[in-house]
Amino acid sequence: MVRGDGRKPDEIRKISVEINYIKWAEGSCLISLGDTRVICTASILNSVPPFAREKGMGWIFAEYSMLPRSVDTRTSRTQSGRSYELQRIIGRALRSVCDLTLLGERTVAIDCDVIQADGSTRCASIIGGYISLFIALYKLWEDGIFVKFPIRRMVSAVSCGIVKGEKMVDLTYAEDSEAECDITVVSTGRGEIIEVQGGVENGGFMTREVFDELVDMGIRASRYVFSVEKEVLSQFLKELKFPD
Amino acid sequence: MVRGDGRKPDEIRKISVEINYIKWAEGSCLISLGDTRVICTASILNSVPPFAREKGMGWIFAEYSMLPRSVDTRTSRTQSGRSYELQRIIGRALRSVCDLTLLGERTVAIDCDVIQADGSTRCASIIGGYISLFIALYKLWEDGIFVKFPIRRMVSAVSCGIVKGEKMVDLTYAEDSEAECDITVVSTGRGEIIEVQGGVENGGFMTREVFDELVDMGIRASRYVFSVEKEVLSQFLKELKFPD
Amino acid sequence: MVRGDGRKPDEIRKISVEINYIKWAEGSCLISLGDTRVICTASILNSVPPFAREKGMGWIFAEYSMLPRSVDTRTSRTQSGRSYELQRIIGRALRSVCDLTLLGERTVAIDCDVIQADGSTRCASIIGGYISLFIALYKLWEDGIFVKFPIRRMVSAVSCGIVKGEKMVDLTYAEDSEAECDITVVSTGRGEIIEVQGGVENGGFMTREVFDELVDMGIRASRYVFSVEKEVLSQFLKELKFPD
Amino acid sequence: MVRGDGRKPDEIRKISVEINYIKWAEGSCLISLGDTRVICTASILNSVPPFAREKGMGWIFAEYSMLPRSVDTRTSRTQSGRSYELQRIIGRALRSVCDLTLLGERTVAIDCDVIQADGSTRCASIIGGYISLFIALYKLWEDGIFVKFPIRRMVSAVSCGIVKGEKMVDLTYAEDSEAECDITVVSTGRGEIIEVQGGVENGGFMTREVFDELVDMGIRASRYVFSVEKEVLSQFLKELKFPD
Amino acid sequence: MVRGDGRKPDEIRKISVEINYIKWAEGSCLISLGDTRVICTASILNSVPPFAREKGMGWIFAEYSMLPRSVDTRTSRTQSGRSYELQRIIGRALRSVCDLTLLGERTVAIDCDVIQADGSTRCASIIGGYISLFIALYKLWEDGIFVKFPIRRMVSAVSCGIVKGEKMVDLTYAEDSEAECDITVVSTGRGEIIEVQGGVENGGFMTREVFDELVDMGIRASRYVFSVEKEVLSQFLKELKFPD
Amino acid sequence: MVRGDGRKPDEIRKISVEINYIKWAEGSCLISLGDTRVICTASILNSVPPFAREKGMGWIFAEYSMLPRSVDTRTSRTQSGRSYELQRIIGRALRSVCDLTLLGERTVAIDCDVIQADGSTRCASIIGGYISLFIALYKLWEDGIFVKFPIRRMVSAVSCGIVKGEKMVDLTYAEDSEAECDITVVSTGRGEIIEVQGGVENGGFMTREVFDELVDMGIRASRYVFSVEKEVLSQFLKELKFPD
């Protein structure tokens, strides 16, 4: 079976990343996942929320937003319930691959602004947010701020679903609109699971076996994500052992 | 291994349900899952959002809120990002077990108000929301509104996690605070998966195998949830074949 | 004349109180006044608003909210002008029976969440709020925090009105809807007046004499409120002289 | 006993009213009650809220606001709980003296903007709001819109309190700050009570007898208010029997 | 050509100013520019925003608001985009004529509340705001707070436009509604320009020459504004050399 | 004198425009003015605000927003007073070059999202907004919707200021921070003025002559802007006489 854009079911769209896209940010990139494009920035803030201060650790949070015309029908700029849900998922994913106790009294704010949406925007945000976070923390590492580099793993996020009975990864907006199931698999370079989120849609149900296959597809497809991350971040790896 | 409250790892806390708890609501209950207590109401509204009207179907949405002192430290009444995320999960779970095209131009509003929180509030909200939804729709069914009863399945939601290296279901607040992983498994009476949501916490990672075991534990533990739902709703089942 | 629920005009509906209803709160109860049910919690906060700090006293404030389906037609969760008015009345009533200078740098937050409304919710909130406040302060008293117990009086709140030409106390929702006058009498165990609030409705007017009779009915009917408060709080009275 | 400004205890400050103060409004005035000054406008809107439409009647509502520097310490422009409470009292007072069924599908918006506050702003707002309402409705009356003039009574509002043990009416800001009790008596030209609102402050209590005397003082002092209203509105009374 | 109110094209409406109009404010006035009436207050606050603190200077900001019925059709109290734009213009004008480094750690809040609008409300607000600011700072000057009086210039603001092909100053609401161009000229007593803001409206365009003539008209007409300011503020000038 | 980036005083930074940058929008571009980069989209909405409907015309409005890290210090996503002011200027500029009566019952929403700010963001937004508006309306023109193309003129916007005593155009962020004056000149392809907005900053004043020279510089420098617009839009000009 061949998809609308000629892809195979287990094939992720081409990812391209332009790093240091925003000159003011400590870390930034423009990530393109097919026609989905997200500007991700990482900002270092020299304070932490109260609950983190009590635990003597740093913090990472994400904000996710869509430009009004990143979608087919112009939307309002006020934050939706969906954007709250997505920015929480992004924040959890990035915190999980960091050792927050190494950050010191610092917060990293990850801003993910979708400028054009064509499905899987949360996945693009996690990957682009990770790259921006890496660059921002690497600068601090170069400045000798950390005793140990705080990033412990690479992170990937892949959407997997069933469309017209066919299992596939990295759904476009058109595919997502008619998917029976749609899950996001966030995993590490070692194949560990960070988060799985998703389920049935449009009246479908999902057997245990189908769910398993979708998770497996997501983990397998992550290899391409990791290869992109390694290539993009390779310039920072001369003196730093890359996490996996 | 025995847990703080004497439970076995795969044991859900006692669920008790007081139906028709709020006299004004079309459907309502007070559900207790151990010390977690949630008031769930289902309100029938005679209109639908614009996108549903275009598709000729009804709609179901949920609102989730915590009383300020349902938790250890008094919280503000303003809606948090967390409550947005949870009410979206609850709404998706309940929509997935209904045939929305059978509802007509009706919206069912599910209000889940946590009056005392001790972990797994989203699970209690899904179960209590389901029972309230069932009662509200059953009244319309009795009035001959529907050609076919719109609920297609039973629904269960169980939290599963790893605490101090031990896999267990239905985490309390104390257990959740030190869990390495925490996932919620929403499934049907036939063992189908509706949604899985969750992942690692507090610096942990989760192998593919561990994730599988947690999902399996969640599905197995659902049997108790379904037995409670059947008992509570049995009075409505004389003339209605129960969904599974 | 006998009312819809069989009560005499000067008869308050049965009040039942379940104390320590919320395990996390310093003081709490579920109060039922007929079908009106309110969860009241008292939370001790270790700071005071700026104006209180300047005067070297503590503070007490109330928040009043109704669950969306506590009423006949589902309402929004956003705070209404009515809820602002009511929570100010509740706050004033509870502050007036306390010696705020004895509280130290503490604020007590009283949360009144109406889970089912059937008239006189502000009265139930004042009574339930008082009981929760008493319990919370008693715990501090037991811990030896206060040189003197800060509660100076018992407090009662009774609604009084004229329905179909008949004067009566403790109006239900149905009675309130067709009342010509409706006032709330907040008074102390010694028969002192704390606040009277209310007036004509639905096109009526009220002579000076009628107003007097309504206030008197409210004060007389308070006896039942005080007897309930004494019974509920009796366990705390062994070593403490009860205020009146 | 003579008060700071030379008044006798039962004496209201001089009221002066400049009608048609705002040229755009259907009815308007600047009312001065001593140093308390409020701009009151009445705006005729050609629609009613949904609940009024169902009952086939018109509606009247009030908004109350203070300029930031109408008080000693500059305040924010965001509406406070206090302003919500006051505008509800003003709205109830004005609705009670009108026959809303005579208004047709019209809403009258009463805007009370305090430009300088020196105590009793709610009383000045009710009196000034009444005068503006009268003028606005009179214009419609002249246009032959009403079969009968909708205003049924004159309305007065007087604050009464106890300061340093002395009962007095029309408290200034300085007097109010140290009052033991403070009540507002809203009454009609026939001596009927529309609303009584108020109670103890600053640690005081109030016997039933004291409360009665304060209400009586308020009603007696209203005579001056009615004489002012009659003088101000006399030009509209040639062809209209004045309400009382 | 003679205008609707008998004015010549280059004639500003009569300005009258009642200073110390609000007894609580450090500086205040009611300014009337024809039928446009604005209450302006200046409040001294003993703190500055963070960015000013870093630069060791004081701050001045303005808030602009219209009473709901200051205009023909009742408006909402929520701040509009227009009011944000205007209060920024007012704030910039007043900051530009002050030496902020002389203010010390003080903010002056200028509140401009339009009670009746008939065109050129921003001009009236700048002039009235200036007078209030002057009075407030003069009081501090008398108290010996400043080493040098912080106000460096007089400030004027005049609107200029083209109506039915005729250039004119100080447009009324009726004139503004059909103007082809409308600019505001803010200038000093020395004829320097502080800000020019404005342009074409209602489908017009403006040649470079016409624009120049409008700016010139605005500057020339300012003479009347300065004469009013001098007269109003003359009582403060005995010991102080007036800015120009 | 040569500026930090090697430019001459009267030289605008290189403008580059990528049209159709957002695939969903009816018109869109990414405009770069040196390091200032703005995404501009034009969305056709099939309704108009009430006041436009009454006048039988269409409408155009703009929204202006900055990504949190488009600037040196991360900012909040909530709209500031500054963004309200800027989006009003952008909206007025674009409305002035259109014949709104030709639009029919349509609104064009112009969204200007600054992704990287380095001064003159309002100018880049007006130019990019104009190009997006042109493209969106051209599509409707091709569809035969309009009897006449609604755009009447080209529009330019140039910032002009004085930095260290030197007059210059198109200020960068660094130049703007120390400018004594800063004005924005919005003009048409025929040299007509649409809007001038701006004035002194940082303690400066501006003579009438200096102001004139700045306006002249802005108009002269606009030639480059128009040449860019013509080049970018040339593909749409085969069958359409270009406005000037």
Side-chain angles (χ1 to χ4, degrees), chain E residues 22-205:
Chain E
I22 303 298
K23 72 173 182 179
W24 304 109
E26 283 74 37
S28 69
C29 69
L30 169 65
I31 183 166
S32 303
L33 173 63
D35 277 353
T36 289
R37 289 210 303 264
V38 188
I39 296 175
C40 302
T41 58
S43 302
I44 305 291
L45 313 176
N46 289 313
S47 67
V48 290
F51 60 85
R53 196 174 314 125
E54 284 167 18
K55 298 186 184 167
M57 64 189 199
W59 193 245
I60 298 168
F61 72 88
E63 292 193 1
Y64 170 97
S65 185
M66 302 180 98
L67 294 205
R69 235 7 234 296
S70 62
V71 287
D72 191 26
T73 304
R74 185 176 183 268
T75 59
S76 146
R77 286 169 193 274
T78 43
Q79 195 165 12
S80 65
R82 178 181 171 275
S83 69
Y84 278 113
E85 183 179 12
L86 295 206
Q87 71 192 22
R88 285 172 55 85
I89 292 174
I90 300 165
R92 287 194 297 257
L94 298 183
R95 280 194 298 276
S96 75
V97 293
C98 275
D99 185 337
L100 299 176
T101 62
L102 293 171
L103 286 180
E105 283 239 333
R106 281 179 194 86
T107 296
V108 191
I110 305 294
D111 287 290
C112 301
D113 287 86
V114 178
I115 63 177
Q116 189 173 273
D118 192 12
S120 299
T121 60
R122 79 187 73 184
C123 297
S125 298
I126 289 173
I127 302 166
Y130 176 75
I131 291 169
S132 301
L133 172 67
F134 196 104
I135 296 171
L137 292 183
Y138 187 80
K139 283 183 189 158
L140 293 177
W141 166 256
E142 281 192 314
D143 292 348
I145 300 293
F146 300 131
V147 292
K148 196 178 153 193
F149 193 62
I151 296 185
R152 308 187 299 158
R153 291 284 194 287
M154 301 181 71
V155 69
S156 154
V158 177
S159 69
C160 314
I162 302 182
V163 182
K164 291 182 181 157
E166 182 89 18
K167 297 183 202 74
M168 55 180 66
V169 301
D170 186 27
L171 279 59
T172 63
Y173 172 71
E175 290 166 345
D176 187 48
S177 305
E178 46 177 345
E180 298 147 43
C181 329
D182 183 13
I183 70 171
T184 299
V185 178
V186 186
S187 59
T188 74
R190 295 189 189 170
E192 297 148 328
I193 285 177
I194 289 174
E195 174 153 347
V196 173
Q197 189 280 317
V200 296
E201 287 183 349
N202 298 312
F205 290 109

Side-chain angles (χ1 to χ4, degrees), chain B residues 20-26 30 35 37 39 41-45 61 63-65 67-74 77 109-113 115-118 173, chain C residues 20-26 30 35 37 39 41-45 61 63-65 67-74 77 109-113 115-118 173:
Chain B
N20 297 327
Y21 187 68
I22 302 298
K23 73 174 182 178
W24 304 109
E26 284 74 37
L30 169 65
D35 277 352
R37 290 208 302 263
I39 296 175
T41 58
S43 302
I44 306 291
L45 313 178
F61 73 89
E63 292 193 2
Y64 170 97
S65 185
L67 294 205
R69 240 1 239 296
S70 61
V71 287
D72 192 24
T73 303
R74 185 176 183 268
R77 284 169 193 274
I110 305 294
D111 287 290
C112 301
D113 286 86
I115 63 177
Q116 190 172 272
D118 192 13
Y173 172 70
Chain C
N20 297 328
Y21 187 67
I22 302 298
K23 72 174 183 178
W24 304 109
E26 283 74 39
L30 169 64
D35 277 351
R37 290 208 303 263
I39 296 175
T41 58
S43 302
I44 305 291
L45 313 177
F61 73 89
E63 292 193 2
Y64 169 97
S65 184
L67 294 204
R69 239 2 238 297
S70 62
V71 286
D72 192 24
T73 304
R74 186 177 183 268
R77 286 170 192 273
I110 305 293
D111 287 290
C112 301
D113 285 86
I115 62 176
Q116 189 173 272
D118 192 14
Y173 172 71

Side-chain angles (χ1 to χ4, degrees), chain F residues 168-183:
Chain F
M168 55 180 65
V169 301
D170 186 27
L171 279 60
T172 62
Y173 173 70
E175 289 166 343
D176 187 48
S177 305
E178 47 177 344
E180 298 146 45
C181 329
D182 182 14
I183 70 171

Side-chain angles (χ1 to χ4, degrees), chain C residues 18-230:
Chain C
E18 190 172 339
I19 64 167
N20 297 328
Y21 187 67
I22 302 298
K23 72 174 183 178
W24 304 109
E26 283 74 39
S28 70
C29 69
L30 169 64
I31 182 166
S32 304
L33 173 64
D35 277 351
T36 289
R37 290 208 303 263
V38 187
I39 296 175
C40 302
T41 58
S43 302
I44 305 291
L45 313 177
N46 288 314
S47 67
V48 290
F51 61 84
R53 197 175 313 125
E54 284 167 19
K55 298 186 184 170
M57 65 189 199
W59 193 245
I60 298 168
F61 73 89
E63 292 193 2
Y64 169 97
S65 184
M66 303 180 97
L67 294 204
R69 239 2 238 297
S70 62
V71 286
D72 192 24
T73 304
R74 186 177 183 268
T75 59
S76 146
R77 286 170 192 273
T78 43
Q79 196 166 11
S80 65
R82 177 181 171 275
S83 69
Y84 278 113
E85 183 179 13
L86 295 207
Q87 72 191 22
R88 284 172 56 85
I89 292 176
I90 300 165
R92 288 194 297 257
L94 298 183
R95 281 195 297 277
S96 76
V97 293
C98 274
D99 186 337
L100 299 176
T101 62
L102 293 171
L103 286 181
E105 282 239 334
R106 282 178 194 86
T107 296
V108 191
I110 305 293
D111 287 290
C112 301
D113 285 86
V114 179
I115 62 176
Q116 189 173 272
D118 192 14
S120 300
T121 60
R122 81 188 72 185
C123 296
S125 297
I126 289 172
I127 302 167
Y130 175 75
I131 290 169
S132 301
L133 172 68
F134 196 105
I135 295 170
L137 293 182
Y138 187 80
K139 284 183 188 157
L140 293 178
W141 166 255
E142 282 193 314
D143 292 348
I145 300 291
F146 300 130
V147 292
K148 196 177 153 192
F149 193 62
I151 296 185
R152 308 187 299 159
R153 291 285 194 285
M154 301 181 72
V155 69
S156 154
V158 177
S159 68
C160 314
I162 302 181
V163 182
K164 292 183 181 157
E166 182 88 19
K167 296 185 203 71
M168 55 181 66
V169 301
D170 186 27
L171 279 60
T172 62
Y173 172 71
E175 289 165 345
D176 187 48
S177 306
E178 48 177 343
E180 298 147 45
C181 328
D182 182 13
I183 70 172
T184 299
V185 178
V186 186
S187 60
T188 74
R190 294 189 189 170
E192 298 148 327
I193 285 176
I194 289 174
E195 175 153 348
V196 173
Q197 188 281 317
V200 296
E201 288 182 349
N202 298 312
F205 291 109
M206 186 165 36
T207 64
R208 183 74 180 85
E209 293 69 38
V210 163
F211 176 72
D212 264 2
E213 289 177 55
L214 291 177
V215 175
D216 286 338
M217 281 183 88
I219 291 176
R220 274 199 308 272
S222 293
R223 277 179 224 146
Y224 172 55
V225 175
F226 296 124
S227 74
V228 171
E229 288 179 357
K230 273 187 183 148

